[in-house]
Amino acid sequence: MYGDDAIELLRELRRAAPHILPPFNEDRIRKVIVEIEGLFREVQNTLNEFKPEELRTPLVYGSMVTHHAAINRNKRCMLAYIMGRLERLKIIRWDVGAVLPDALKENLCSQERKFFTHYNRNLTNYMQAVGVDVSADLHPPKDLFIEVRCLEDVGEIMTENGAIMLEKDTQHFLRRSDIEPLIRQGILKHVPKNT
């Protein structure tokens, strides 16, 4: 049936959680492109086979309209798939920061990696131009300082109060704005207060 592969692309994307990006399905994209090319050849063959007055007969005209509609549907589905992936990439940028996890990088095609790099550069340029890190606090903080547990060895980081050594399984009481990106990347974990 026309459009099955294109619809499956969208289903595949919808099945994944909103913050997860499934691997780019290049094989299915190629199948959809081959289907579009085949449908286009059918329309071209019909135009070449029949005389102009025969093209207006319901059978021939209906066939061409059906093929053309299938071409457009496949194009729209592929564009929706690509746009959906790019929107998820934007969300991931705000969630994990400027550095993509290796597991996620493997799921991207080269154009998506390029898009992420450009999006990240544009966001960084904007933040530098306005002088505000708009990605620092996505939610209003309740406390200026928070207690965090280090989930992996990071080494020394610079904070407003000086250098801090972050080693696995150590806990620190730090300024939220200094370590918010590390929390989003999963390197540090916020330890809630016992109240």
Side-chain angles (χ1 to χ4, degrees):
M1 182 62 117
Y2 298 137
D4 285 347
D5 285 319
I7 292 295
E8 189 55 36
L9 281 172
L10 295 175
R11 285 186 184 136
E12 176 184 296
L13 191 60
R14 189 176 60 184
R15 279 191 288 259
H19 60 283
I20 301 292
L21 199 59
F24 185 78
N25 197 336
E26 192 170 343
D27 292 336
R28 197 170 297 274
I29 289 279
R30 289 187 192 283
K31 286 180 184 178
V32 174
I33 291 171
V34 166
E35 184 178 309
I36 288 172
E37 290 170 346
L39 290 165
F40 183 75
R41 276 193 302 275
E42 287 288 326
V43 171
Q44 288 294 78
N45 290 341
T46 302
L47 287 171
N48 293 334
E49 270 182 47
F50 296 96
K51 297 176 187 170
E53 59 274 357
E54 293 174 325
L55 291 175
R56 291 191 178 88
T57 61
L59 185 63
V60 176
Y61 185 75
S63 169
M64 286 190 352
V65 168
T66 302
H67 286 101
H68 185 68
I71 289 170
N72 286 335
R73 180 178 179 174
N74 281 348
K75 286 181 185 178
R76 283 193 309 270
C77 288
M78 279 198 311
L79 289 172
Y81 175 73
I82 292 167
M83 191 64 191
R85 290 180 63 83
L86 295 181
E87 289 299 323
R88 286 180 186 215
L89 262 179
K90 288 179 186 178
I91 292 168
I92 289 168
R93 165 54 181 95
W94 287 92
D95 287 346
V96 300
V99 180
L100 283 173
D102 290 335
L104 183 61
K105 280 183 189 175
E106 295 171 4
N107 292 347
L108 304 179
C109 68
S110 61
Q111 291 85 1
E112 288 172 330
R113 282 189 214 103
K114 218 180 274 187
F115 170 82
F116 185 82
T117 302
H118 289 294
Y119 183 76
N120 191 37
R121 187 180 311 131
N122 289 339
L123 187 58
T124 302
N125 290 342
Y126 174 76
M127 288 188 291
Q128 288 173 348
V130 298
V132 176
D133 184 1
V134 295
S135 65
D137 290 321
L138 298 179
H139 305 289
K142 293 181 182 172
D143 299 316
L144 191 57
F145 287 85
I146 60 171
E147 189 169 356
V148 292
R149 179 177 294 120
C150 202
L151 301 177
E152 56 187 73
D153 286 328
V154 176
E156 190 174 82
I157 66 163
M158 286 303 295
T159 66
E160 287 183 19
N161 298 329
I164 302 267
M165 182 62 102
L166 297 178
E167 296 173 341
K168 186 173 181 172
D169 296 327
T170 58
Q171 285 193 197
H172 305 273
F173 193 67
L174 301 169
R175 182 182 288 269
R176 178 184 288 276
S177 61
D178 289 338
I179 48 95
E180 183 80 25
L182 297 174
I183 292 173
R184 279 190 265 132
Q185 290 176 16
I187 295 171
L188 299 177
K189 180 180 179 184
H190 178 245
V191 179
K193 292 180 184 177
N194 292 333
T195 54

